[in-house]
Amino acid sequence: MKILFELSKEHPTLPLSEVKSCLNAEGIGFNELNRGNGFLEIEVKADIDKIKRVGERMALSFFIDEALYSSPPNLEELLSRAVKVEINGTFRVRCWDRRTNKDATTSLDVERELGGIYAHSGKVDLFNPDTEIRVMLTDDIWYVGKLIKKIDRGSFENRKVQKRPFFSPISLHPRLARTMVNLSLIKRNEFLLDPFCGTGGILLEAGLIGAKVIGSDLQQTMVDGCRRTLDAYGIEDYNLFSCDVGEIPSKVGKVDAVVTDFPYGRAATTNRESVKSLYQRGFESISTVLKDKKRAVVTLPTENAVELGKDTLNIIEVHPYRVHRSLTRYIAVYER
C-alpha cells in the first residue's frame, strides 16, 4: 500500500523526521518512494489501523492518505488517470495547492472536474462522506489519495501552557514537545525521563501516547506544578521528584528515552552553576540512565552546547529552529 503524508511547513526538517520516527516507533517498515514540497510518499506492508495509530501521535503533519494515483502537473493527465479508479458510496473532493508556480488551473477546477467523474459511480456528500478524496498539487507531481487520518492539530493548541493548571512562561509549544517525544522513538508502556521537567509539557505529551513518564526538577514548586498538569489530563503512570540532575542515576533505573529542554538564559534556574558545567553533568546523567541504542532528544541554546553531548552520546541529527528573530535553538537527537 502506498501512503502519502501531507506535511506542515512550520519547520524545514522536523515534519519529515517526525513521520519516519513515528513509523519506526510503531514498528512499521517502509520504503520511501518520493518526497517534495510538503509531502512524503512511502510504501508499507501495514493495515489501515496501524497507519491511524501513527497519525494519532503525530504533530507536524496535516493529513495521511492512501495514495490512489498521481500524474504530471497537468489537469488533463490527472483526469485520464481518474477515470480508471472507481469511487463507490458517498464522497467529497478536497484539493490542496502547494505549487510555487501556479497556472490557470485552480483547486476549485480540480475539485469540480474530479467530482464530476466520480459522481457517475458515487454520490457527493460535502458534510459526512464515506470517502474524502484528497488532491495535492505540487510543482512536479499531482497526487490523488483517500483520506486515512486527519491530524488533530487543534488539540495541541488546547494544551498550550497558559491553558494548563500550572503556568510558566518558559515552556515549549505542545506540538514541539510532542515532536521531540516522537523523535525519541518511545513506544507505549516504555519509560521516558525528563530530567528538567519544569511545567511538565514534555511528560504530558509522552503520557498522552501511552509512555510511562518520569520527571525531576531542581525546584519543588515545578515538580508540584508538573503533577497538577499530569493529573489534570488524566496521566496516571508517572513518577516525579525534586533533585539535582547529578542525582538522577541514584533515583532512576534504566529508561527507554530521555526528552528534555535544557535550562538556558537568565530566567532558567541553574543554582548559580555555569551553564556549561550543568550541561556536562546533565549529559553524563542522561548517558548513565539511558539504555543502549536508545535515544535522547534535547533542546539546546547553541551549537557549542550540542557538541557537549558528543562526549557521552552519539549524535544522530540536529534541527535548528528559530524562536524569534534574534534567537535560534537546536533540537539534538542522540543515541546511547
Side-chain angles (χ1 to χ4, degrees), residues 12 35 48 75 83 92 98 100 106 160-161 197 217 249 257 264 287:
R35 72 168 82 168
I48 295 296
L75 182 58
V83 297
R92 68 183 174 197
R98 307 200 77 166
T100 55
T106 67
K160 291 172 71 172
V161 67
C197 67
D217 199 279
Y264 73 101
S287 178

Side-chain angles (χ1 to χ4, degrees), residues 52-66:
K52 287 181 178 179
R53 284 203 296 272
V54 169
E56 287 168 0
R57 62 185 289 166
M58 288 169 51
L60 297 185
S61 293
F62 292 105
F63 301 94
I64 306 175
D65 313 316
E66 179 186 355

Side-chain angles (χ1 to χ4, degrees), residues 149-214:
K149 179 72 176 178
K150 179 180 179 180
I151 310 305
D152 185 10
R153 289 172 59 88
S155 66
F156 296 102
E157 294 298 321
N158 292 334
R159 291 195 298 275
K160 291 172 71 172
V161 67
Q162 58 266 37
K163 298 182 180 181
R164 302 200 297 253
F166 179 66
F167 176 83
S168 171
I170 305 174
S171 184
L172 296 172
H173 191 286
R175 278 202 301 273
L176 191 59
R178 174 65 67 87
T179 300
M180 292 175 63
V181 168
N182 285 330
L183 292 179
S184 78
L185 306 184
I186 193 71
K187 297 178 175 61
R188 182 177 295 273
N189 294 320
E190 290 187 336
F191 288 93
L192 180 144
L193 166 71
D194 182 352
F196 301 101
C197 67
T199 61
I202 288 173
L203 297 181
L204 173 59
E205 296 305 317
L208 288 172
I209 63 172
K212 299 176 181 179
V213 297
I214 305 169

